Amino acid sequence: MTTYENLAPLEPTDAARRFTDPQTWGTFGAQWNSGEQKTLVCCAVYPETHDVKTFVFRCADFSALSFEAGQFITLSPVIAGQPIARCYTVSSSPTRPFAFAITVKRVPGGLVSNWLHDRLQPGDCLRASGPAGSFTPVGIPAKKWLYLSAGSGVTPLMSMTRTAFDMASDLDIVFVHSARTPTDIIFHDELQGMQARMAGLRVLHVCESPGTTVDWQHPIGRLDLPLLSQHVPDFREREVFTCGPQGYMEAVKSLLKDARFDFAHYHQESFDITVLNAEPVIEQAPSLDQASLFTVTLSRSGKTFTMTGTQTVLSAAKKAGAIVPSSCSQGVCGTCKTALLEGTVDMNHNGGIRQREIDKGLRLLCCSKPTSDLVIDL
Ligand SMILES: Cc1cc2nc3c(=O)[nH]c(=O)nc-3n(C[C@H](O)[C@H](O)[C@H](O)COP(=O)(O)OP(=O)(O)OC[C@H]3O[C@@H](n4cnc5c(N)ncnc54)[C@H](O)[C@@H]3O)c2cc1C
Ligand code: FES
């Protein structure tokens, strides 16, 4: 077994014995909650397509992952001596909280996705922080749903579908997934299997081309308004959840706009790394306030640096040599959530922090610019 970051070897504990003894399954107490860090043990790795793999984990202390379908965890593998954080949606269902899965597409040149595909083996351990994200159906009273996904954007919608299936739900779900070719479709067989057993689930796959598949029965092309209207004529009555590359989501939004869809019933999440991994660049001339220099003190290390109000606290702290966990740099993932002990910032987030966390003094450093001197809990 490989352990990363010198993690302590796992000792058989009471929890471990309970986990392996079917007599006591379901009697666990500990939970892995939002914002907490845990050591995860990889239990299984299996291929989904030629460039997508599923990784199954459990908590090393046998905690149950407490999450809502559609949420993600942030993995922090140590690669070449550096901890690197990346978000991955939990593709399994919250109805199965002890062994949970992420499903990862290999990104050409990408650090973490390739490391996971090439290096992570069953028995390996890595650190991760607890579930986050607001792309979840919890609390929405709809009966009719439309899930629209492309590529690896299928993962949150798969978690929602698996949950509905496991709960024997009577929801009416249409799941339209777009892929390049039939061999690129993730979860094809499982979705077909669930559709055969769940009256309210209808699955439609749309491929840009049939590739090498000779007997492809589903639509060919890209999702557009005529195709959606033909296959899901009542789409205007549905709660829409969509996830995929930026271009796909722009196309979905534009077709729904053309159809005069009510966007109060529209929810989206982007994984788009080209957009998400870019540090925000501020081009405009700074106002007088922004041009002033602010002093930032890191309370734990005692480090101090100065920055202007045009930079994000994250980028300035990194330039000053501070180690700050971060992933999306766009206020989505919550990885850079840190307590602001003194001072004020202008924070422009994209759902990565909840109001109750803001009320407690937490801020996302990647999308916060100072408006005074700051003391932060780092
Ligand atoms: C909320 C959320 C949920 C997500 N869920 C999932 C999920 O369920 N499944 C999934 O597969 N992904 C998911 N992602 C995306 C995931 O977090 C990563 O962004 C993705 O795996 C790529 O990370 P990486 O480290 O492999 O790529 P990075 O190293 O971050 O590379 C990003 C880009 O830079 C390019 N690049 C990297 N190195 C170089 C170089 N030296 N020269 C030139 N270009 C380079 C890469 O080609 C790539 O285009 C999610 C993202 C978010 C924000
Ligand atoms: S790094 Fe993702 S919210 Fe800041």
Side-chain angles (χ1 to χ4, degrees), residues 25 44 58 101 113 144 156-157 165 204 262 264 288 307 341 347:
W25 282 353
R58 66 167 170 79
S113 59
K144 294 174 79 170
L157 306 171
F165 182 79
L204 179 71
D262 176 1
L288 210 55
M307 64 178 294
L341 303 176
M347 180 170 70

Side-chain angles (χ1 to χ4, degrees), residues 314 325-336 352 364-367:
L314 177 72
S326 68
S327 181
C328 70
S329 297
Q330 300 289 317
V332 174
C333 70
T335 311
C336 63
L364 298 179
L365 301 187
C366 68
C367 53

Side-chain angles (χ1 to χ4, degrees), residues 319-352:
K319 274 185 203 133
I323 296 173
V324 191
S326 68
S327 181
C328 70
S329 297
Q330 300 289 317
V332 174
C333 70
T335 311
C336 63
K337 207 177 290 165
T338 306
L340 177 62
L341 303 176
E342 283 174 34
T344 50
V345 293
D346 183 10
M347 180 170 70
N348 214 340
H349 71 91
N350 284 307

Side-chain angles (χ1 to χ4, degrees), residues 17 86 105 189 199 226 233 366 375:
R17 277 186 286 277
R86 293 283 184 276
K105 188 175 168 68
D189 292 355
C366 68
V375 180

Side-chain angles (χ1 to χ4, degrees), residues 148 150 222-225 242-258 263 266-270 272 274-275:
L148 299 174
R222 289 190 169 193
L223 183 67
D224 57 14
L225 189 50
T242 182
C243 185
Q246 199 65 20
Y248 167 81
M249 294 211 304
E250 275 161 22
V252 166
K253 262 167 109 171
S254 146
L255 78 83
L256 291 177
K257 211 167 147 201
D258 290 349
F263 276 83
Y266 176 84
H267 314 262
Q268 68 165 43
E269 180 157 84
S270 174
D272 207 312
T274 47
V275 179

